[in-house]
Short mmCIF file of all heavy atoms in Angstrom, two decimals:
data_model
loop_
_atom_site.label_atom_id
_atom_site.label_comp_id
_atom_site.label_asym_id
_atom_site.label_seq_id
_atom_site.Cartn_x
_atom_site.Cartn_y
_atom_site.Cartn_z
N SER A 813 -4.76 -20.57 40.47
CA SER A 813 -3.67 -20.05 39.63
C SER A 813 -2.52 -21.03 39.53
O SER A 813 -2.30 -21.87 40.41
CB SER A 813 -3.17 -18.71 40.19
OG SER A 813 -2.58 -18.88 41.46
N ASP A 814 -1.78 -20.92 38.43
CA ASP A 814 -0.64 -21.79 38.18
C ASP A 814 0.57 -20.95 37.82
O ASP A 814 0.41 -19.84 37.26
CB ASP A 814 -0.97 -22.76 37.03
CG ASP A 814 0.12 -23.78 36.81
OD1 ASP A 814 0.13 -24.80 37.49
OD2 ASP A 814 0.99 -23.53 35.94
N VAL A 815 1.74 -21.44 38.11
CA VAL A 815 2.97 -20.66 37.83
C VAL A 815 3.11 -20.37 36.34
O VAL A 815 3.82 -19.41 35.97
CB VAL A 815 4.21 -21.38 38.33
CG1 VAL A 815 4.21 -21.45 39.84
CG2 VAL A 815 4.35 -22.76 37.73
N ALA A 816 2.47 -21.14 35.48
CA ALA A 816 2.58 -20.91 34.05
C ALA A 816 1.61 -19.83 33.57
O ALA A 816 1.69 -19.39 32.42
CB ALA A 816 2.32 -22.19 33.29
N ASP A 817 0.69 -19.42 34.42
CA ASP A 817 -0.30 -18.42 34.04
C ASP A 817 0.28 -17.03 34.02
O ASP A 817 1.08 -16.65 34.86
CB ASP A 817 -1.49 -18.44 35.02
CG ASP A 817 -2.27 -19.74 34.97
OD1 ASP A 817 -2.09 -20.49 34.00
OD2 ASP A 817 -3.01 -20.02 35.95
N ASP A 818 -0.16 -16.23 33.04
CA ASP A 818 0.10 -14.79 33.03
C ASP A 818 1.57 -14.47 33.31
O ASP A 818 2.44 -14.89 32.56
CB ASP A 818 -0.81 -14.10 34.05
CG ASP A 818 -0.85 -12.60 33.90
OD1 ASP A 818 -0.61 -12.12 32.78
OD2 ASP A 818 -1.08 -11.91 34.89
N ILE A 819 1.87 -13.77 34.41
CA ILE A 819 3.25 -13.37 34.69
C ILE A 819 3.93 -14.29 35.71
O ILE A 819 5.02 -13.98 36.17
CB ILE A 819 3.29 -11.92 35.18
CG1 ILE A 819 2.49 -11.74 36.47
CG2 ILE A 819 2.79 -10.97 34.10
CD1 ILE A 819 2.64 -10.36 37.10
N GLY A 820 3.29 -15.35 36.07
CA GLY A 820 3.90 -16.31 36.98
C GLY A 820 3.86 -15.84 38.43
O GLY A 820 2.90 -15.22 38.88
N LEU A 821 4.92 -16.11 39.16
CA LEU A 821 4.97 -15.83 40.60
C LEU A 821 5.41 -14.41 40.89
O LEU A 821 6.39 -13.92 40.34
CB LEU A 821 5.92 -16.82 41.27
CG LEU A 821 5.49 -18.29 41.21
CD1 LEU A 821 6.63 -19.18 41.68
CD2 LEU A 821 4.26 -18.53 42.05
N VAL A 822 4.67 -13.75 41.76
CA VAL A 822 4.98 -12.38 42.18
C VAL A 822 5.22 -12.42 43.68
O VAL A 822 4.50 -13.06 44.44
CB VAL A 822 3.80 -11.44 41.86
CG1 VAL A 822 4.07 -10.03 42.38
CG2 VAL A 822 3.51 -11.44 40.38
N SER A 823 6.26 -11.74 44.12
CA SER A 823 6.74 -11.88 45.50
C SER A 823 5.65 -11.64 46.54
O SER A 823 5.52 -12.41 47.49
CB SER A 823 7.91 -10.91 45.74
OG SER A 823 7.51 -9.56 45.56
N SER A 824 4.85 -10.59 46.36
CA SER A 824 3.88 -10.22 47.39
C SER A 824 2.82 -11.30 47.57
O SER A 824 2.40 -11.62 48.69
CB SER A 824 3.23 -8.88 47.05
OG SER A 824 2.73 -8.90 45.72
N ARG A 825 2.39 -11.91 46.45
CA ARG A 825 1.33 -12.92 46.57
C ARG A 825 1.88 -14.24 47.09
O ARG A 825 1.20 -14.95 47.83
CB ARG A 825 0.66 -13.11 45.19
CG ARG A 825 -0.80 -13.54 45.29
CD ARG A 825 -1.59 -13.11 44.07
NE ARG A 825 -2.98 -13.47 44.22
CZ ARG A 825 -3.51 -14.62 43.82
NH1 ARG A 825 -2.74 -15.51 43.19
NH2 ARG A 825 -4.79 -14.89 43.99
N VAL A 826 3.10 -14.56 46.72
CA VAL A 826 3.75 -15.76 47.27
C VAL A 826 3.92 -15.60 48.78
O VAL A 826 3.67 -16.51 49.57
CB VAL A 826 5.11 -16.01 46.60
CG1 VAL A 826 5.87 -17.14 47.29
CG2 VAL A 826 4.91 -16.34 45.13
N MET A 827 4.34 -14.41 49.20
CA MET A 827 4.51 -14.15 50.63
C MET A 827 3.17 -14.24 51.37
O MET A 827 3.14 -14.72 52.53
CB MET A 827 5.12 -12.75 50.85
CG MET A 827 6.57 -12.66 50.42
SD MET A 827 7.25 -10.97 50.59
CE MET A 827 7.32 -10.83 52.38
N LEU A 828 2.09 -13.81 50.74
CA LEU A 828 0.78 -13.93 51.36
C LEU A 828 0.43 -15.37 51.64
O LEU A 828 -0.05 -15.73 52.72
CB LEU A 828 -0.31 -13.32 50.44
CG LEU A 828 -0.48 -11.82 50.49
CD1 LEU A 828 -1.33 -11.37 49.30
CD2 LEU A 828 -1.18 -11.41 51.79
N CYS A 829 0.66 -16.23 50.66
CA CYS A 829 0.37 -17.64 50.82
C CYS A 829 1.24 -18.25 51.91
O CYS A 829 0.79 -19.04 52.75
CB CYS A 829 0.54 -18.37 49.51
SG CYS A 829 -0.08 -20.08 49.53
N ALA A 830 2.53 -17.89 51.89
CA ALA A 830 3.46 -18.38 52.93
C ALA A 830 3.01 -17.92 54.31
O ALA A 830 3.11 -18.69 55.29
CB ALA A 830 4.86 -17.90 52.63
N ALA A 831 2.53 -16.70 54.40
CA ALA A 831 2.05 -16.18 55.69
C ALA A 831 0.84 -16.97 56.17
O ALA A 831 0.70 -17.25 57.38
CB ALA A 831 1.71 -14.70 55.57
N HIS A 832 -0.03 -17.36 55.24
CA HIS A 832 -1.15 -18.20 55.61
C HIS A 832 -0.68 -19.53 56.17
O HIS A 832 -1.20 -20.01 57.19
CB HIS A 832 -2.03 -18.46 54.38
CG HIS A 832 -3.13 -17.46 54.19
ND1 HIS A 832 -4.42 -17.69 54.57
CD2 HIS A 832 -3.12 -16.23 53.63
CE1 HIS A 832 -5.16 -16.64 54.27
NE2 HIS A 832 -4.41 -15.73 53.70
N GLN A 833 0.32 -20.11 55.53
CA GLN A 833 0.84 -21.40 56.01
C GLN A 833 1.48 -21.25 57.39
O GLN A 833 1.22 -22.06 58.30
CB GLN A 833 1.84 -21.99 55.03
CG GLN A 833 1.20 -22.48 53.73
CD GLN A 833 2.20 -23.13 52.82
OE1 GLN A 833 2.75 -22.48 51.93
NE2 GLN A 833 2.46 -24.42 53.01
N ALA A 834 2.31 -20.26 57.57
CA ALA A 834 2.97 -20.04 58.85
C ALA A 834 1.93 -19.74 59.94
O ALA A 834 2.03 -20.26 61.07
CB ALA A 834 3.98 -18.89 58.74
N HIS A 835 0.95 -18.92 59.62
CA HIS A 835 -0.04 -18.55 60.61
C HIS A 835 -0.90 -19.76 61.01
O HIS A 835 -1.24 -19.93 62.17
CB HIS A 835 -0.93 -17.44 60.06
CG HIS A 835 -1.83 -16.84 61.12
ND1 HIS A 835 -1.33 -16.16 62.19
CD2 HIS A 835 -3.18 -16.83 61.23
CE1 HIS A 835 -2.33 -15.75 62.96
NE2 HIS A 835 -3.45 -16.15 62.42
N MET A 836 -1.22 -20.62 60.01
CA MET A 836 -2.00 -21.82 60.35
C MET A 836 -1.19 -22.75 61.25
O MET A 836 -1.72 -23.33 62.18
CB MET A 836 -2.39 -22.56 59.06
CG MET A 836 -3.43 -23.65 59.31
SD MET A 836 -5.02 -22.98 59.86
CE MET A 836 -5.18 -23.72 61.50
N ALA A 837 0.11 -22.83 61.00
CA ALA A 837 0.98 -23.62 61.88
C ALA A 837 0.93 -23.09 63.31
O ALA A 837 0.81 -23.87 64.28
CB ALA A 837 2.40 -23.65 61.36
#
């Protein structure tokens, strides 16, 4: 997905990705 797609960035999905990054750290 890209920020230009559809409705762009949605808080819950961005938070999911951020949680993946934090958890991997």
Side-chain angles (χ1 to χ4, degrees):
S813 65
D814 185 85
V815 293
D817 296 342
D818 193 26
I819 61 172
L821 296 169
V822 178
S823 61
S824 51
R825 209 154 183 269
V826 173
M827 290 176 71
L828 278 166
C829 190
H832 270 260
Q833 290 184 265
H835 191 65
M836 192 65 243

